[in-house]
Structure formats: C-alpha cells, structure tokens
Amino acid sequence: MRERRRQSRRTRWLTTISVLTVAALGLAACGSADSTSDSTATSDSTATSDSTATSDSTTTSLVAADSDRLQAPTEDSPEGEITIWDRSGDLYEVFDATIPKFNEKYPNIKVNHVAVDIDAKLQNTLITGADVPDGVFLDDAKIGGFSEFLWDLADVLAPYVDDIAAQKVDVNTINGGVFGVPFDLDPGLLYYNEAALSEAGVDAAQIETYDDLLDAAREYQAKNPESGPIHLEQSPFLGQLQLEMFASQLGTSMADSAGELRLDSPEYEQILTFLDTVQHEDLGTRAEYLGPTDIAELENGNQVFYPWAIWFSFAPQQLLTDTTGDWRAMELPAWEDGGARSGAMGGSSFVLPREGENSELAWLFYEFLMFNEAGYSAVWGPNDVYPTGLNTSIPSYLPAADPGAPLFQPVEALGGQDLWAVATEAGAQIPGGTPLPTWWAGAVDYLGNNIQRMLDGDLKPSDVVSLSTEEIQDNLVDRQ
Amino acid sequence: MTATDHSPKPARTRRLVSWQYARTFAIHGVLLLLMVAFLAPVVWAILSSFKQANGIIRAPLVFDPSSFTLDNYTSMFEDVPIVRGFSNTAVVLVFKGAITMFFAPLAAFAFAKYDFKGKNVIFGMVLVTLMLPTIVLIIPLLLEMKTLGWVNTYQGLILPGAVDAFAIFWMRQVIRAVPDDLLAAARIDGCSEFGIFWRVIVPVIRPGLAGLAVLTIMNIYNDFVWPVVVASSDDRATLQVVLSSLAQNITGNRIGADYATVTGELLAAASVALIPLLIFFILLQRHFINGILAGSVKG
Amino acid sequence: MARLRAAPYVFVAPFVAMFLAFSVYPMVFTVRLSFTSWRGAGDPVWIGWDNYSYLLTNDRFWGSLWNSAALWLLIVPVQLVVGVIVAVLLNSAKLRLRGMYRVAFIVPFVTPLVAVAQIWVVLFDQSYGAINSLFALVGLPEVGWLTTSTWAKPTLALLFLWKTTGFIVIILLSGLQSIKPVLYESASLDGASWSQQLRSITVPLIRPTIMFVVVLQTLAVFQMFAEPFVVTQGGPYSSTTTAGYFLYNQINRADLGTGAATSLLLVVAVMALSLMFVRMLRAEDGS
C-alpha cells in the first residue's frame, strides 16, 4: 500500500513538473523573433467626451493635434463624471473639501473622489485597462514608470508652464512630453533646535555652507559631548531620497534625462564625503525618520540639525511635544559659497491616464486646484483639516507661492515662524531637475543600501559611487 | 455532553490527585502565557485606537485612560467605507465559503479514495495552484475579468479560486485516513457514490470539516492580493481592501506627513474589523465546533 | 476500484472547471511572459532564456532563496514543536476555558498585520525599545533587532510565528482529534507515562498532519511578503528579502518578465523542497 502511494506521489510530482516543462519548452519553441503580443495597453488616442455641446473646434483639434496630447474642453459648461484617485489621509480630506468650490465653477462635472491604495492598484489598472480612473495622485518618483499610459499635458499646461517651478516641470518631462500636473514643491530646509543651540552658544543663522554646518555641529558637541547633532538617515529609501535632495541643490541627480547614470561626479563625491565626515567624526545621530529613536533623540536635545524636506514640519507640530516651539526652519546650507540653498525632496503630481473616460474634465479639476486662486487657497489655506493651513509643502505654481502672500499661517511649533516665507524663498532657488528614472525605487537596493553601509563605516564615499554605479548599471539600467 | 478525552492518560500512581492538580496548573500556566503573548499586540492596537493619533506614534506605550478619545473612530466612520467593507466581505465569505466547503471535500474524496485516469494530472493542477504565488497571476487574471466584464463585481471577487486548492489538499489528507472498509460496506449496501460521500465520509471527518470551516473563513477574510485589484470602487471593496488603502501611508517607506492620523484611523478600523469576527468565532466555538466534535468520535 | 466510474470525474469537475477558467490562461500567460521583457506598456519583447540566466546568476535572487531558507529553519521546527504541544494541551478534556484559548490563539491570524507592525517596531527599537530595556535590566547588551542583518531575520521570524502559529494549531488539533482515545487508555493501563504516550502514539499518528503542515508552511515562508514589506522593507541590507518579497519588488517595479521567471523558479524550488520533506518524513515511517 505504502509502496504504491509512494510511487503515485512520485508520479504526481513528475507529472506536474513535466507538464510545466513541456509547456515551457513548447512555448519556447513556438516563440520566435516576432513576439506575439499579449499587449493590453492599447492606446485609445482620443479621449471621448460626454459633453453634449461638442464644438467643431474640439473635434478637429483632437484629430489634428498630436493624438497623445490632451486638449482642454472648450464648451462653456462641460458635463460629465470623473473618478479621481487619492491616497487616504488628511490630504484626501483637503482635496475632498475643495470639490464644492470646484463645482461652483463647473456645476455639471460630478467628481467621484476615491481613497485608494494607489501603489497596489495603479499599475495593474493601467496595464489591464480595467476601470481606469480619470485622475490620480502620484509620487514624482513613479511618473517615469507610467508615462506610456498617461496623457501628454504639454498643450494644456502651456499657459502655465513658465510660471511653474522649473524642477517640477522637469521632473514631469519625459522625452519632450509633460506627463503630470505638478502639485507640491517640497523644498529641502534645515530644521534646527533654536533653543538648544542658543543655550550652547551656537548661532545657527550664521550657517551658510555645509562646512559651516559641520563647524556648528562640532561647537554644539563640545558643549554636549553625548550629542550627535546632525541627523543621519537609517532607512535606505529615505536616505537615498535625502541624497537626491542634496544633489538637487547642485543641479544634478542619479541619472540624466537620457537615463544614464551620473553618480561618478564631483557633486556626489562632495555630498557623500560630507555625510561620511558626519559619521566619521561622530557628529551624527543615526535613526529612521521619526521612528522611536529619532523622536527620542530629537526631544532630548541630542539631535539638533535636521536637513530634510519641508514636510518634516509635521514633527515639531504633532510629535515633538517636549520641544515644540524650540524648532526653526531655514534654507539649507549651500555646497559652496553662493550656491543654491535648497533642493527638492519628494513631491507629487497629478496624472491623467489615457484610458480614462473623461480625462479632459479631470484636467479642469486639477487646473482649478493648482492654477486657480480659489483652488490653491483651498488646498493650502486654513480649512477644517488644517486650521492653520497645510504647511508641509508649498505650491509649485509660482504666483501661488508668493513669499509676500502666505497661504498658510505662521507655525506655532516653529516659534511662530513664517515658514511660508522661508519655504517659498528656498523653493525659488531650486535648480531645474530631470525626470526620475523608472528604476529609481529599485536603486534603493543598491545605492540606498550602500549609503547605509558607508554610514556604518564599511564603505568609503568613492566605493559607494563605484559600487552603486556598477550594480545599478548591471541590474537596472541594462535590463530596461 | 462532555467532550471526549483524547489526551494521553497519566499512569496511575498513588499521588494521583496532587499530580493532576499540578499538571492542570502547569497546562493552564503555559497556555495563559501563550495567550498573553498572542493577544498583547492586539490589545495594544485596540487600546491605542482610543488614543490621540499623534500619541500613538510619539508615546506608543503610554496609556492615559483619562485622555481616551473616540476621535479615531468618528473620523474613521466618516472617511472609511467600513460598513460597506463588512457587507462585501460577508457576501464573499458566504458564497465563496459555501463553494469551497462543499466542493473541496468532494474533490478531495475523489483524490483520496479513487483511482481514475488523469488523477495525477488533475492533482498536479491542485498543487500548482497552491504553489504559484498569486501576485504573478494578477495581470492576466485581471485581463480575463475585464473581458468578462467582471471587474468590480461580486463574481470577480468570488469565483476565481472559489474551490480552494489548499482545502482540497488538506481534506484529501483527512479523508485518506478513513478506513476503506467503511466505504466497501456502504457499497455493498447499495449506496451511490455521492451517498458514500455524504453519509459515510462527511460524518467521519467532522472534526476536519470543522477545522476547514474555520480556516476557510480566515483565509477568505484575510485575502487581500486579489480583492484589492479586482474591486476598483468602494461598492465592492472588501474589508482588507479598505484597510489596505488606509495602510499604504504607513507601510513600506514613510513619506510625507499625515501618517499619524492615518495610523489612528487604521487602528480603529482594525479593531472594528476584529470584533465581529471574534464574536463569530466565539459562537462558532461553543455551539458549532463542540457540537460537531461531540458527535464525531466513534469508539 | 473501477477505472471507468464517472463519479470521481464528477466530483473533481467543479475544481477542474474553475482551474480551466481562471488558472490556465494566467499560468500560460506567466510561462510565456517569463521568456520576454515587458514593462506593461506595448508588446512584450521575446528574449528567450535571458531572464532565467539573469536570475540564476544573480546574487540577490539566490540571496532571497537563502533568506527564505534561513527563515524556514527559524520558523518551521519551532512552530511544529510549539504547535503540537499547544494542540495536545488544548485537547485535554478536563481543560476548562478551552474555547477561550482557542479563540485567543487565532486572533493574531485575523488581525491585520499593519495594525500590529507599529508595536513590533517600537518594542524592538534598538535604543528605546522595551525588549532592549529588559535586556539592560538583566545586564545584557542592547541588540540591533531590526537594524542588523543578523537579528532582523529572527525578529521577523518571531512576527511570523506569532501570526501563524494559531492557524497551525487548528490544523494539528483536528488531526489530534481523530486519534481514538482507546489507544491512550490501553497505553496508560500498560504503564506508559504522558511523554511516552506523546512520543509513541500521538506524534506517529499525526505524522500525516505534520507532513501537511510542513509543506504548507514551506510554501508560506517562501512566499512570505507582508511581514518584510511592512516591518523591514526587506532590509537591512536585503537580509529579510524573502523570495516572495523579491518577487513582489519585481512585479511592483514593472519588471514583469523577470517576475514571471522568478515565480516559476520559485515554484520549482518549493516543489523540490516539499518533495524532499515528504520523502524524509515518509522514510522515517517505521520500516
């Protein structure tokens, strides 16, 4: 009985394996140079409009213009329903609250606003074309990966593009097309614990370059030997993001617009050497962004300098209850005298999938949110969700980001500082950028991890560059 | 009706009574310790859901009952379609659960007690289904759904994978242990093949079926990879889909600023999601499983 | 046994129908895809065995298999031992509150991982976590639970154990419940002790169930994805990148051809392992 069972089980395994192998071989044999297409992303080049009064000019312009470029509706009161995807959370609430205002302008457009796990769904939805939304909130880092599924917004953005922060336009520009409506600009700032620093006799306002920052840190440490004044990021992903913020200050990034690696450059060497020095001289606190250690060290005065995106402002406001009010923000130090005093870290845009039913109506929604005063005031100004306004980012639309006309109020947790002025002035200094390569997230396994190893003391800055370049080239770039 | 004792019996000694007390004490001790270990993180999550959202991140182990608030719950009920998530999950549980509970043991019976041509190939299908990670199959499966018009529908949620391969795999195991003489006897009595299944096998494998019921419910409840993709709107989102949309700001890499509030809502949602399931299991426990087990053991 | 009886075919028909309807096309699609390079848009480009040769010579692919294997070693033996003991304890008739324990043990399995991930991170924080504080109290040095490659795996294994042991106990329990009490009674009449009975009656008789659990958990450990995703993001230094997480990354980064190839290689690996276990466990079956 057992013998037979053993045999039948063996047969079973063999059968399964052989079935799969035969299938594989058979397909390999049938497969030829001309690849059979299982392709599913058929590009519907014309966006169908549900509006009743279709004017001739709309139809002809749809046909005449480059069929991948979205055109704005021209009728007076466009009609239809749009599905907008956003991440759930406070931001979702903020956008939701803007819909009534939008409907004041466009009463016949119904907005179906959905909170979605965008990371889990967007790719599959776009690839299979199943129930595609009209507009999606997307991290800038991800836009490159989806550009083939998205509308080229060059034409609709044309009236505004000169007034949008260069870095945001650049990050959305792939092969000459613009694939996202820029949402927020996230300028890097240097957050510092004013109270702790002045108690130690260190004047942060004097800091102009990263060398100055190192000096200030040394000075602080002399008075507080237990401290590690400068934050060193322990999460490989965020560490890489921060690195790119520094690089953005210097007008460079991991890959150029052609997707070629350019880590091997004096700029990256300078940045990595700076980080290595902090580690080497024990001037840093190594922790994961706002993890338990990070928060504790921020609260006890051991960590007093945090070069990070503007959205760190959330910490003194919500998490750092002991030191709330002690913190201030200033522009980042420059890499050399007179250099740019900010770079971009993170940020998102709105994309419009080509297979959406009413993409041009979704465009109207985003146009309202970003370029219409009623829209952007509603997003960044005081509202139910953020009584003093949304102060974790600034608009990328420059007329909205006027240092003299703040949308959000001074931040109490920063001692009543006018964060708006600081951020908008810093943001204006951000050099132009490049789109993020599609393999950006994959690079974390290599560059992100290598930075961590350097911070562990196991790698030299030049090693980080050479190793990462090789690994990224072999595993990511070459396999595109 | 007392539960039948299946445990190894202690050798009879003179110190019977105190030995047994010590033993019971030790058993409870171990189980209690384990219970605490298993429940502690969940209790943490539930208690934390009553804290101010920022406090959850800032001071995770500090609980100040006087500052407990229902804020997370109110904002969760406002923002999150949790009731809808519940009802959709319930629908899927009932239909998919029923399909598996009926057809999987039946198929398992065929594999366990019959020899038929193609049996190995078909069982190979079961195994391959088990072993191929779902995530790879998402795209082609979603394409199929699109062709059938089943995206964001109940059919799309229920039918793919409705006859669970794991259930077949396990039940085959269980049914194999049933003595063949019972089947032979039934056949001699003129029972139909299905009758053998229904009247002989099913009663004997009651404990296994009870276990299968519990596990099937848990697996369907936990199912996330496929539902999140096929349910494109709140209308058909199951609980896990709803929870995942909340969780995305927390999982992976924390970027941006609003993950604290979302954490609060997530814990509230998770707590709410847990309670009905627990009540269900407690009831299932007491009335269903114990009843089934009591009737199952033959001397 | 009749060979041409219709009954078995009818019984497996529903499964086969589902399989044909919903599994065949995706599987063929996947096999086909594994020989192409495809990022989701446009047509897949045929590249033959390229994906396979890339994977089979890739450090990280083998690393992920190794990680899964290491996690397997940390998880499965422990889970079996603990599982069997707990199942046996739960099975003792005189146990009151049995229902309470049973429910308590399955709670982790139905709790969303994200809800408890935070507390895990907090407890195991290197500088401020409760575990290291306890260590400090007894004079042990602090451990980088989630920050060092050495300790991240055991910490994650613990999380997985916490989450799934209850599930395994249920399976083992129903295996236990089919053991006839008569066997125990006669053994104790013969003077066998509790642990002797455990070893010579209980364990051998639930061997098929144990075998089943081993195969099941082997699958689960290799496909493990949620735990590394939520708690460690596969780190530090890819030490917790399981095969399942490795696969997820490829799919998520739209490297779909490679992902298809990875999943097929995974199936082969898991099948080979399962076969090995089944053989091993059967070989021990008294002869």
Side-chain angles (χ1 to χ4, degrees), chain C residues 70-153:
Chain C
L71 280 168
W72 190 98
L73 282 170
L74 287 168
I75 291 172
V76 178
V78 172
Q79 194 163 63
L80 275 176
V81 169
V82 173
V84 169
I85 293 178
V86 171
V88 167
L89 291 178
L90 279 181
N91 213 20
S92 9
K94 297 204 180 70
L95 192 72
R96 276 172 280 155
L97 306 173
R98 181 203 313 210
M100 172 185 87
Y101 288 124
R102 274 206 202 132
V103 172
F105 292 154
I106 60 169
V107 165
F109 193 71
V110 291
T111 311
L113 188 66
V114 283
V116 293
Q118 175 71 11
I119 189 63
W120 218 259
V121 168
V122 165
L123 283 176
F124 286 97
D125 184 71
Q126 182 165 3
S127 316
Y128 292 91
I131 306 283
N132 276 344
S133 307
L134 278 168
F135 270 39
L137 274 176
V138 291
L140 291 168
E142 77 176 20
V143 176
W145 298 108
L146 291 167
T147 52
T148 53
S149 328
T150 336
W151 289 104
K153 281 210 229 344

Side-chain angles (χ1 to χ4, degrees), chain A residues 167-363:
Chain A
Q167 186 266 336
K168 290 294 289 198
V169 177
D170 291 338
V171 95
N172 277 301
T173 305
I174 299 166
N175 290 332
V178 184
F179 293 96
V181 180
F183 167 47
D184 60 342
L185 184 64
D186 291 349
L189 299 172
L190 180 65
Y191 284 92
Y192 60 97
N193 187 334
E194 232 274 297
L197 283 167
S198 51
E199 205 184 300
V202 178
D203 185 7
Q206 297 298 315
I207 299 174
E208 283 180 1
T209 65
Y210 281 98
D211 285 329
D212 293 341
L213 177 60
L214 286 172
D215 288 333
R218 291 178 189 118
E219 223 186 298
Y220 186 78
Q221 197 178 59
K223 304 273 172 54
N224 300 285
E226 293 294 300
S227 67
I230 303 179
H231 175 79
L232 286 175
E233 181 53 44
Q234 198 164 30
S235 145
F237 175 82
L238 290 173
Q240 182 173 299
L241 199 65
Q242 190 197 33
L243 180 78
E244 291 294 271
M245 172 184 81
F246 293 133
S248 163
Q249 267 188 286
L250 288 167
T252 183
S253 65
M254 213 189 305
D256 61 23
S257 35
E260 298 296 321
L261 278 171
R262 48 181 182 180
L263 283 173
D264 196 356
S265 61
E267 289 90 351
Y268 275 101
E269 177 159 350
Q270 186 179 15
I271 300 170
L272 289 167
T273 308
F274 165 73
L275 290 171
D276 195 36
T277 310
V278 175
Q279 176 266 129
H280 211 57
E281 292 189 28
D282 238 352
L283 289 170
T285 297
R286 185 97 169 284
E288 242 188 70
Y289 174 66
L290 299 183
T293 304
D294 204 31
I295 294 181
E297 297 291 311
L298 284 167
E299 294 270 66
N300 65 19
N302 279 343
Q303 215 179 177
V304 290
F305 288 118
Y306 219 101
W308 205 260
I310 179 180
W311 32 271
F312 176 81
S313 67
F314 153 75
Q317 289 178 81
Q318 308 277 22
L319 298 180
L320 305 176
T321 45
D322 290 343
T323 52
T324 188
D326 294 349
W327 294 89
R328 301 285 180 276
M330 62 184 272
E331 312 172 300
L332 284 173
W335 289 100
E336 57 255 330
D337 286 319
R341 299 211 38 188
S342 187
M345 182 171 174
S348 322
S349 304
F350 302 110
V351 297
L352 284 70
R354 286 219 291 265
E355 294 209 28
E357 273 182 38
N358 289 319
S359 312
E360 73 286 358
L361 301 181
W363 155 250

Side-chain angles (χ1 to χ4, degrees), chain B residues 104-126:
Chain B
L106 197 59
F109 174 50
F111 288 121
K113 294 298 181 187
Y114 291 87
D115 268 333
F116 53 97
K117 236 172 134 185
K119 171 175 166 182
N120 288 334
V121 173
I122 301 182
F123 193 67
M125 292 180 190
V126 175

